[in-house]
Amino acid sequence: MSRRRVVVTGLGPIAPCGIGKEAFWRASLEARSHIGRIRRFDPTGYRCQVAGQVEGFEARDWLDVKTRNQTDRSVHMAFACCEMAVADAGLDLDGEDATQVGMYFANQFGGMEFAEPELYAQAYLGPQRVSAYQAIAWFYAAAQGQWSIARGILGFGKTLVGDRAGGIMALAMGSLAIRQGHAQVVLAGGFEAPVVPYVWAIHQTSGLLSEHRQSPEKAYRPFDAERSGLVLGEGSAILVLEERDRALARGARIYGEVLGYALGQEPVASPLGLASASRLAATLRAGVAEARIEPEEIDHVLAEGLGTPESDGEEIAALEQVFGALPRRPSVSAPKSMIGHTLAAAGAIDVAWAALMLEQGVVLPTVQLDRPADPSRLDFVTGAPRDDPPENVLCLSRASGGGVACLVLGRGKE
Amino acid sequence: MSRDRRVVVTGLSAVSPAGVGAEALWRAARDGQSFGARVSGFDVSANRSQIAAEVPALDWLALGLDREDLARLDRVDHFSLVAARGALLDAGLERFEPHRAGVVIGTAVGGVGFMEQEFRRVCRRQDKDKPSWVAVDPVSVNGHLYSAFLAHSVSSEVARRVGFEGPCFTVATGCTAGLDALGAAAELIACGLADVMITGGADAPVTPIVLTAFDNINCLTRRNDDPGRASRPFDRDRDGFLLAEGCGVLVLEEEEHARRRGARTYGSVLGFASLSNAFHMTSLPAEGTELARTLDRLFERSRVSPDQVDYINAHGSSTKQNDRNETAAFKLTFGARAKRIPISSTKSVLGHSLGAASALESVVCFRALAEGMVPPTANYENPSADCDLDYVPNQPREARLRVIECNASGFSGIHSAALFGHPDFRPGKRRGFLANASGTPSPRSSEAA
């Protein structure tokens, strides 16, 4: 018996370049940096003082006042993304078997925008001053709980933490949940709102952040000779994953099929260590094999692009190992250079980009990549989008402690 | 790839209030020896609940950790590292294909203790009463904070040390995380993406902010003058859960993989299911309908019928709502048999260690299968009008155990459940737990309620 196939039928992105699929894609085609000095708090004294920030997002457009008060910005964005994804998929939730609709989300540190003042209250004002909502606002599974309650979702719901690879992992595990028969529809993705004083200090200890001695829009430039490290962004993307036969039966628009995925790990020397080029390459090969296609059938790679010399070097070497010797090599880009790395949302935003690239027949570039730092045979898309319709896009993410996750989104066979 | 890859358990270990190892855990669970004491690590005088079940002081260096681990990781990572190594040793797994071996451990709050301690060091007191934005000193922040706070480290630190190179992430679904991790790990094996998985749950939530967060929504016990009898699931006088810490770890293995290396098996994972109740972030309905639906789904997804269940290891958190909801759900799914199936709560002994709890309970279940012994519900003294089943009060009971049902409920309305089988138990010919549920007839007990 063949395994169940999983397709993407809905997209709900919120990113520094736009809220909702249309605005997000339109701005992505403009291919410019949306990174600026931090406005949400005074970043003086921090190593990195720039970020990709979402402008114009109003939680009240999406959540009632009670739910807003029980949650933080990351959950507000996740909630809105779920709503947009469902609408984009043309799903009528009221007409669905609610026990067959599931969720698989990822985030990094929970609702810390909510939690920071509560930590302050606990430390300086006493426990009686800590909000009664702290217990439900901070923890990782807040978004799945709030959204399922708001919309009467009764299905399989999970939240994972996989560091910066969490978004890809959530999409992979969400696909697996469909394949394993836990649900027929799964909303999957990630959400992050890290532009908060204490969490920003925590990220500063990841060893990756840029000190950007240049202007903010030039701070994040993966693979470029002038790169200075990682710049973070806030945002969220939730995708509707759906069992393919069901999607076909209801005449849904299908962006692409989750053809395969792989998760790998390497026993690196420290908790912050990153997997080597060979481990990265092995995981990419496993993901492509799981997709039941050949490496030369990958048309485009959405790279991780952490923007440090060491990590970029490893990533390029890995892509060289997998694709370098092929007669037909995929193009490569890191569009997240426009918005910053959105942590556990990044992988989901990448897959949303991949879905739109398949639909629109365009590949997005890396911005601020003027002069590649490392010589390679890779075909970097830079400057402007390229009209080169891809059939299969490989998305990859890396986690601290040696983690790697990749996912192939493709047109799929009939 | 075979469609029917069975998942067996070959290694168990734990770090719990009973100490280190599955044996210490089992003895405590079997003897109904309830833990609990006044919290001594920080000032709880302004809290209404002032007690917890904590892991005793341990010599971490003697247990295999080094000084760097102690300095740069959270207590929750110390738990998972020690328990994972213990479980691997127990499994006798020395040779394995690294990329076919993964780690998926669950946690509710991850490295919150390290994060909170550091917050107190770097956060400046402001004139404002309660600021919307805190002010921190980003220069002096501890350089290990990122990985110490990151919940992913609970799993990735284990993978890094034991050399597992397959799938690795942390399931962070709160109070069901341990069972949810076990379900994810079992299915990664069942679908062929791994052959061996280290799984379980770990939490170290006895910190000021976590104790307060639960205390302020009135879900913790306030029996401060009698901590050893504070966790009393299904009892009339239960008044909330006893916050606890710990870690349970299981080594799961594809059956043939275990057989080929001649491994001893504790039993098998026969099924896993999880659903949401869409009812309330923290509260539970009295009727048990949603939990029962989850149990029904569990049986639909496995080759086991409710009539084959010999023992239920309940969530039994000792809150008014949970124990009532659970009792009602068991009646819906098991019908008249619900009154005859022994049911007990390991939380009566260990308290509620959030994401670790259902993992510790899973370890207890596999020991129970091996010992042919049902562990009791400790501190059960007075029957409760809304909890009228057989909770195995205070004394263990010998029994022929072939199938155990173990379930967990948590915030965000998550219900999760698993079925564990004795090594001699062979499930029927019905669909395996790879199969979809749709179209299967109702699996509820053949006996009417």
Side-chain angles (χ1 to χ4, degrees):
Chain A
M1 196 173 136
S2 63
R3 67 187 187 193
R4 288 188 189 85
R5 294 168 66 177
V6 178
V7 294
V8 174
T9 58
L11 307 177
I14 292 179
C17 65
I19 296 166
K21 183 182 79 174
E22 281 79 20
F24 168 75
W25 180 248
R26 215 169 34 241
S28 301
L29 291 174
E30 291 171 13
R32 64 179 180 83
S33 172
H34 293 264
I35 288 161
R37 185 171 166 85
I38 288 174
R39 291 177 292 273
R40 307 198 75 234
F41 67 93
D42 178 7
T44 307
Y46 286 81
R47 176 187 170 99
C48 182
Q49 300 174 8
V50 299
Q53 294 159 100
V54 173
E55 299 296 333
F57 174 70
E58 295 290 347
R60 76 173 77 91
D61 295 344
W62 302 96
L63 299 89
D64 63 36
V65 62
K66 178 165 159 281
T67 316
R68 280 204 306 280
N69 290 341
Q70 296 178 351
T71 47
D72 93 327
R73 182 171 171 86
S74 66
V75 173
H76 299 164
M77 290 195 288
F79 205 100
C81 287
C82 285
E83 293 294 324
M84 289 190 284
V86 165
D88 188 49
L91 274 180
D92 170 20
L93 285 179
D94 296 334
E96 293 289 332
D97 174 353
T99 70
Q100 289 292 341
V101 181
M103 297 154 288
Y104 220 122
F105 297 158
N107 68 98
Q108 192 98 336
F109 290 127
M112 285 295 281
E113 184 196 37
F114 188 102
E116 290 187 7
E118 306 310 323
L119 286 163
Y120 182 95
Q122 174 70 40
Y124 294 122
L125 308 173
Q128 64 281 359
R129 296 297 312 281
V130 173
S131 165
Y133 296 139
Q134 167 66 10
I136 57 167
W138 172 64
F139 91 129
Y140 304 93
Q144 71 167 80
Q146 293 286 4
W147 194 69
S148 67
I149 291 165
R151 298 302 299 261
I153 303 299
L154 297 174
F156 182 84
K158 297 288 157 260
T159 299
L160 63 77
V161 178
D163 195 30
R164 287 175 298 270
I168 295 283
M169 291 173 175
L171 287 161
M173 294 304 292
S175 302
L176 189 65
I178 293 175
R179 190 169 137 192
Q180 294 287 91
H182 281 290
Q184 292 170 0
V185 178
V186 171
L187 282 97
F191 49 91
E192 296 286 359
V195 191
V196 197
Y198 184 45
V199 158
W200 206 250
I202 295 173
H203 279 288
Q204 189 167 301
T205 67
S206 73
L208 292 168
L209 293 201
S210 164
E211 281 187 275
H212 62 85
R213 297 292 170 243
Q214 298 165 307
S215 59
E217 62 274 12
K218 291 202 175 290
Y220 184 36
R221 42 195 324 170
F223 310 118
D224 186 85
E226 302 288 313
R227 67 197 160 195
S228 60
L230 186 62
V231 172
L232 304 180
E234 57 176 3
S236 171
I238 302 293
L239 284 71
V240 175
L241 304 177
E242 196 167 347
E243 200 269 318
R244 181 172 176 269
D245 290 343
R246 199 200 105 99
L248 289 171
R250 73 177 183 90
R253 169 198 36 214
I254 292 173
Y255 288 99
E257 179 172 349
V258 178
L259 294 174
Y261 35 81
L263 312 185
Q265 187 74 19
E266 179 168 310
V268 291
S270 87
L272 291 173
L274 295 168
S276 64
S278 57
R279 164 51 59 196
L280 251 175
T283 308
L284 298 181
R285 284 199 188 95
V288 172
E290 183 70 16
R292 299 176 183 178
I293 59 174
E294 297 299 323
E296 47 264 44
E297 292 177 84
I298 297 291
D299 303 302
H300 189 76
V301 177
L302 285 173
E304 172 76 332
L306 293 171
T308 67
E310 192 184 23
S311 65
D312 281 359
E314 289 157 356
E315 191 172 8
I316 286 174
L319 293 172
E320 278 273 351
Q321 283 178 32
V322 179
F323 300 108
L326 299 176
R328 184 179 171 279
R329 293 189 288 275
S331 51
V332 178
S333 68
K336 64 166 74 75
S337 52
M338 301 181 207
I339 61 169
H341 196 303
T342 52
L343 305 162
I349 289 177
D350 275 357
V351 178
W353 264 323
L356 289 163
M357 285 163 48
L358 292 175
E359 186 192 47
Q360 303 289 326
V362 172
V363 292
L364 296 172
T366 308
V367 298
Q368 312 300 342
L369 174 46
D370 301 332
R371 193 162 56 86
D374 306 282
S376 80
R377 288 170 290 182
L378 300 175
D379 172 18
F380 283 109
V381 183
T382 63
R386 186 190 288 177
D387 288 325
D388 190 0
E391 296 278 318
N392 297 301
V393 179
L394 173 66
C395 303
L396 78 96
S397 292
R398 308 172 73 182
S400 64
V404 186
C406 70
L407 182 146
V408 180
L409 189 77
R411 289 201 194 283
K413 298 180 176 65
E414 282 310 303
Chain B
M1 183 193 91
S2 159
R3 185 162 165 78
D4 222 25
R5 288 164 54 95
R6 280 167 48 86
V7 180
V8 297
V9 176
T10 56
L12 301 173
S13 190
V15 173
S16 76
V20 175
E23 181 59 27
L25 169 64
W26 167 250
R27 277 201 305 267
R30 179 197 62 198
D31 299 342
Q33 165 202 348
S34 190
F35 297 93
R38 188 178 168 85
V39 173
S40 58
F42 53 93
D43 179 15
V44 291
S45 58
N47 286 93
R48 285 167 295 189
S49 179
Q50 303 176 346
I51 53 178
E54 298 183 72
V55 170
L58 295 171
D59 183 350
W60 296 110
L61 298 175
L63 289 165
L65 300 186
D66 60 34
R67 292 188 192 283
E68 278 205 336
D69 296 331
L70 298 182
R72 68 188 188 182
L73 294 173
D74 186 78
R75 182 170 171 85
V76 71
D77 307 311
H78 303 156
F79 290 174
S80 71
L81 281 170
V82 167
R85 281 178 174 147
L88 264 191
L89 199 66
D90 187 46
L93 187 71
E94 284 157 4
R95 294 167 50 128
F96 52 88
E97 191 74 53
H99 72 278
R100 301 283 302 165
V103 183
V104 175
I105 295 174
T107 190
V109 296
V112 65
F114 196 111
M115 178 276 283
E116 190 176 2
Q117 206 167 18
E118 197 54 22
F119 180 87
R120 285 160 181 263
R121 213 174 57 74
V122 302
C123 179
R124 284 195 294 276
R125 177 138 207 186
Q126 302 178 36
D127 295 335
K128 286 184 200 117
D129 182 38
K130 186 168 171 182
S132 333
W133 299 94
V134 301
V136 303
D137 172 13
V139 178
S140 67
V141 70
N142 184 310
H144 304 302
L145 182 54
Y146 184 86
S147 42
F149 181 33
L150 190 66
H152 182 58
S153 301
V154 174
S155 300
S156 66
E157 281 302 291
V158 169
R160 206 166 68 73
R161 301 324 166 76
V162 305
F164 277 25
E165 301 182 17
C168 176
F169 56 87
T170 293
V171 176
T173 42
C175 295
T176 59
L179 215 47
D180 289 338
L182 185 148
E187 295 194 348
L188 284 166
I189 294 174
C191 76
L193 289 171
D195 295 326
V196 183
M197 294 294 297
I198 289 174
T199 188
D203 259 310
V206 187
T207 82
I209 191 69
V210 181
L211 180 76
T212 292
F214 288 119
D215 198 15
N216 286 5
I217 50 173
N218 308 318
C219 60
L220 297 181
T221 174
R222 295 175 189 169
R223 199 179 273 259
N224 295 328
D225 54 350
D226 195 8
R229 299 202 302 166
S231 184
R232 41 199 312 118
F234 307 110
D235 184 273
R236 182 192 68 199
D237 300 328
R238 65 189 189 273
D239 72 333
F241 73 78
L242 176 69
L243 189 63
E245 59 178 358
C247 172
V249 168
L250 304 89
V251 176
L252 306 187
E253 217 169 324
E254 194 271 321
E255 185 177 39
E256 281 303 301
H257 189 275
R259 196 188 53 75
R260 275 198 304 274
R261 69 179 186 89
R264 171 232 19 226
T265 71
Y266 289 97
S268 58
V269 179
L270 299 168
F272 171 74
S274 181
L275 292 173
S276 310
N277 67 32
F279 178 73
H280 190 271
M281 285 298 285
T282 60
S283 185
L284 288 165
E287 306 78 27
T289 323
E290 281 75 19
L291 174 56
R293 189 186 294 126
T294 308
L295 298 175
D296 294 348
R297 178 71 72 88
L298 173 69
F299 291 106
E300 286 165 11
R301 292 179 58 76
S302 38
R303 298 178 176 187
V304 180
S305 105
D307 293 339
Q308 291 175 294
V309 170
D310 300 310
Y311 161 55
I312 295 171
N313 187 292
H315 184 64
S317 63
S318 191
T319 67
K320 288 278 179 217
Q321 292 176 348
N322 174 78
D323 299 357
R324 180 179 61 192
N325 175 68
E326 224 177 340
T327 298
F330 294 146
K331 289 178 186 172
L332 287 173
T333 293
F334 295 98
R337 262 200 95 226
K339 288 205 179 280
R340 298 201 305 278
I341 307 174
I343 299 166
S344 67
S345 166
T346 303
K347 291 186 186 73
S348 64
V349 168
L350 300 175
H352 189 356
S353 52
L354 310 183
S358 52
L360 287 163
E361 289 153 19
S362 300
V363 172
V364 167
C365 286
F366 281 102
R367 285 303 304 261
L369 287 172
E371 306 287 338
M373 181 93 74
V374 174
T377 301
N379 295 323
Y380 185 88
E381 293 172 327
N382 303 298
S384 177
D386 50 10
C387 298
D388 53 353
L389 300 174
D390 173 9
Y391 303 108
V392 194
N394 305 312
Q395 295 297 324
R397 211 180 277 170
E398 284 186 21
R400 181 178 183 274
L401 299 179
R402 286 296 172 269
V403 177
I404 296 178
E405 188 277 315
C406 180
N407 56 271
S409 299
F411 284 7
S412 282
I414 307 170
H415 298 297
S416 298
L419 287 169
F420 303 138
H422 187 277
D424 296 341
F425 177 78
R426 305 311 294 184
K429 294 279 182 224
R430 232 151 49 83
R431 303 147 168 275
F433 85 93
L434 288 177
N436 190 1
S438 55
T440 331
S442 166
R444 283 185 175 169
S445 173
S446 52
E447 294 182 41

